[in-house]
Amino acid sequence: MNDPTPPPTPPTPPVGPLAPMPPLSTYAPAPAKTPVLGIVAVILAVLLAPVGLVLGIITLALAKGRTAAKVLGIVAVVVSSLICAGLAALIIWAVSSISGAQHVADEFVGDLQRGDVPAAYALTSPKFQAAVPESAFQARVTSGRAVFSSPHHRVSSNVSTSTNIGTYTDIVYAFDASPHAYLEVQLVKENGSWRVIYIDEKGTP
């Protein structure tokens, strides 16, 4: 008896090179991260400029090529810088205005205290002089001589603006007379100079 012939072995398929990987452009790009710090910096640049300025600088430092974060950082820095500059200018203006008005008001009250009515009247505005002749002003100062001649000190100062009056300030002085008296001196800025436009004696500040 003959041995059976084994079946032929199927040929081994040739092993070729691995299929090339698809180009990277076919993959969806990773979603960009929302620059939360930059958004907060812009919001605070409007609401709280100094903090917004600091956060804007930090955002720029951490941007590292991220366009959105860089743009938000620049916006926060510019906006907060402009607001801070405006606030600084406003503070400087208010301080200089109060200082100038206080100087004129102190001189005015000092003239009243010394009884130098012409010098005090010369510090009043044209509107005041049109409403109160110097003779009437003299009579008013003479009637309050007991108050005006006593020691005094400033109680408060306030600078404001009005569409009708312009820039003006109210300064209140306390006199150590008996009974205690107060003098409100209102000044207006005319042609760059402070002038007294209103005075009022009262019992309370």
Side-chain angles (χ1 to χ4, degrees), residues 63-191:
K64 295 181 179 179
R66 290 181 295 167
T67 303
K70 186 177 293 186
V71 170
L72 289 173
I74 293 174
V75 171
V77 170
V78 172
V79 171
S80 56
S81 297
L82 291 175
I83 293 177
C84 287
L87 290 175
L90 182 62
I91 292 172
I92 293 173
W93 170 83
V95 171
S96 62
S97 294
I98 290 177
S99 177
Q102 284 180 348
H103 176 75
V104 174
D106 288 348
E107 186 177 351
F108 176 80
V109 174
D111 291 337
L112 295 181
Q113 192 172 41
R114 291 187 298 271
D116 192 347
V117 177
Y121 192 76
L123 295 175
T124 59
S125 72
K127 290 183 179 179
F128 181 94
Q129 295 175 5
V132 182
E134 187 171 355
S135 57
F137 182 72
Q138 172 76 61
R140 185 173 183 180
V141 173
T142 301
S143 65
R145 180 67 182 150
V147 172
F148 294 143
S149 61
S150 64
H152 65 277
H153 60 277
R154 278 195 307 266
V155 175
S156 64
S157 300
N158 178 46
V159 173
S160 303
T161 57
S162 170
T163 54
N164 297 325
I165 301 177
T167 302
Y168 67 95
T169 180
D170 286 308
I171 300 178
V172 178
Y173 293 84
F175 288 83
D176 299 334
S178 181
H180 210 59
Y182 296 89
L183 176 67
E184 178 186 359
V185 180
Q186 188 176 98
L187 303 97
V188 65
K189 203 166 191 179
E190 297 178 338
N191 300 321

